[in-house]
């Protein structure tokens, strides 16, 4: 079925429906992209939080090394034995934290290395440093202190690699976020322009399909009002305007038939008048002859 053959109501509904569908597509796409951007933003925020948590673990390792150094300087063995279990608990929690926040193969590898290095550091402090502090051998104590610094630095270097990996992922996520945002804006603009253009095209089609036949009907009606029965009312569609033109064409035909009948009746009346006039003349002539 042609667009012009549809009823005006159906055409209106069709045009409005098309525009609504396009707008719904645009809105749906924007909602989906916003959800994607939101998920990316949440993931980036999580990566940042993970990096902060890793740096906090790094600070606690440095705090542990400083605690051991202070103990070596002060020779406070009782304080050392009292606080070391707490550092062991912290080590267990920090190790679990690092293992849960990594997800890439390289990060998992570094996390396992950190776990072994951290455990080795705590074990060295618990056994070797503890034993050296009891002997009070200055040379052995200094050697143990140097070994602690070395192991702590190795552990913190591994953590820094994890932090670098997390920050690198965060930067990559930021770049991807910007790309997705720009793409979403561009596509949304294109779809919006397309929706506006289609709305304009369909609106003009709808307006033209209604106003043009109505203008033709007005012309036919005006010519009929002027008494022009030669006008032709042609229907090019099957909608209400086409039905109107068909009705006007039928009306024109009826007018022609009525005028033709009136003309025929007038001619008959004129013929009857002429016959009556001739009869009257004959009667007048007969009367004259009778009078003579």
């Amino acid at each position: 079925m042609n667009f012009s053959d549809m009823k005006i109501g159906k055409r209106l509904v069709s045009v409005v429906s098309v525009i609504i569908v396009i707008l719904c597509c645009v809105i749906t796409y924007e909602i989906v992209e916003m959800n994607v951007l939101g998920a990316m933003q949440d993931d980036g925020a999580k990566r940042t939080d993970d990096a902060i948590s890793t740096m906090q673990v790094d600070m606690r390792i440095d705090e542990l090394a400083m605690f051991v150094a202070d103990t070596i300087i002060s020779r406070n063995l009782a304080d050392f034995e009292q606080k070391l279990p707490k550092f062991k608990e912290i080590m267990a929690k920090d190790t679990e934290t690092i293992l849960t926040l990594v997800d890439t193969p390289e990060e998992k590898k570094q996390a396992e290395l950190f776990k072994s290095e951290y455990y080795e550091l705590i074990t060295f402090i618990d056994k070797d440093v503890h034993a050296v502090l009891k002997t009070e051998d200055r040379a052995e104590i200094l050697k143990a202190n140097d070994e602690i610094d070395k192991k702590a630095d190795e552990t913190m270097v591994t953590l820094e690699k994890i932090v670098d990996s997390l920050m690198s992922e965060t930067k990559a996520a930021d770049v991807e976020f910007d790309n997705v945002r720009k793409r979403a804006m561009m596509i949304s603009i294109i779809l919006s322009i397309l929706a506006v253009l289609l709305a304009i095209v369909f609106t003009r089609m709808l307006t033209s399909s209604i106003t043009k036949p109505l203008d033709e009907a007005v012309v036919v009606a005006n010519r009929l009002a002027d008494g022009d029965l030669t006008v032709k009312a042609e229907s090019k569609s099957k909608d209400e305007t086409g039905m109107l033109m068909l009705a006007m064409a039928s009306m024109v035909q009826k007018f022609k038939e009525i005028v033709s009948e009136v003309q025929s009746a007038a001619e008959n009346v004129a013929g009857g008048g002429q016959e009556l006039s001739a009869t009257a003349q004959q009667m007048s002539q007969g009367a004259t002859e009778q009078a003579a």
Side-chain angles (χ1 to χ4, degrees), residues 244-288:
L244 174 62
M245 293 298 289
L246 288 174
M248 295 188 73
S250 177
M251 182 176 63
V252 170
Q253 184 63 34
K254 293 293 184 181
F255 281 168
K256 288 181 179 179
E257 293 177 358
I258 292 172
V259 170
S260 177
E261 292 176 357
V262 169
Q263 287 178 345
S264 177
E267 289 176 356
N268 291 333
V269 170
Q274 289 177 356
E275 292 178 357
L276 182 60
S277 175
T279 302
Q281 288 179 358
Q282 291 178 358
M283 291 177 65
S284 176
Q285 184 178 1
T288 301

Side-chain angles (χ1 to χ4, degrees), residues 66-85:
M66 292 178 62
F67 162 72
V68 176
D70 291 340
T71 302
I72 290 173
I73 294 173
S74 63
R75 302 289 197 278
N76 192 343
L77 185 61
D79 184 62
F80 177 82
E81 291 176 345
Q82 179 184 358
K83 293 183 179 179
L84 185 60

Side-chain angles (χ1 to χ4, degrees), residues 58 110 117 151-162 164:
D58 185 276
Q110 294 296 330
E117 291 175 344
K151 291 182 180 298
D153 289 341
E154 290 175 351
T155 306
M156 288 188 289
V157 166
T158 302
L159 280 179
E160 289 174 1
K161 291 180 180 180
I162 296 175
D164 291 340

Side-chain angles (χ1 to χ4, degrees), residues 187-201:
I187 294 177
S188 296
I189 291 172
I190 292 173
L191 290 177
S192 298
I193 293 174
L194 178 61
V196 171
L197 292 177
L198 288 176
I200 293 173
V201 170

Side-chain angles (χ1 to χ4, degrees), residues 111-155:
E112 291 294 335
L113 178 60
F114 162 77
K115 179 180 178 181
S116 63
E117 291 175 344
Y118 203 177
Y119 179 77
E120 184 179 346
L121 173 63
I122 290 292
T123 302
F124 180 78
I125 293 173
D126 186 25
K127 293 182 179 179
D128 296 21
V129 175
H130 196 190
V132 169
L133 286 174
K134 289 181 178 180
T135 63
E136 296 188 356
D137 187 334
R138 182 174 179 81
E140 290 296 325
I141 290 174
L142 292 177
K143 181 179 178 181
N145 188 48
D146 291 339
E147 187 67 19
I148 289 172
D149 291 339
K150 179 182 177 181
K151 291 182 180 298
D153 289 341
E154 290 175 351
T155 306

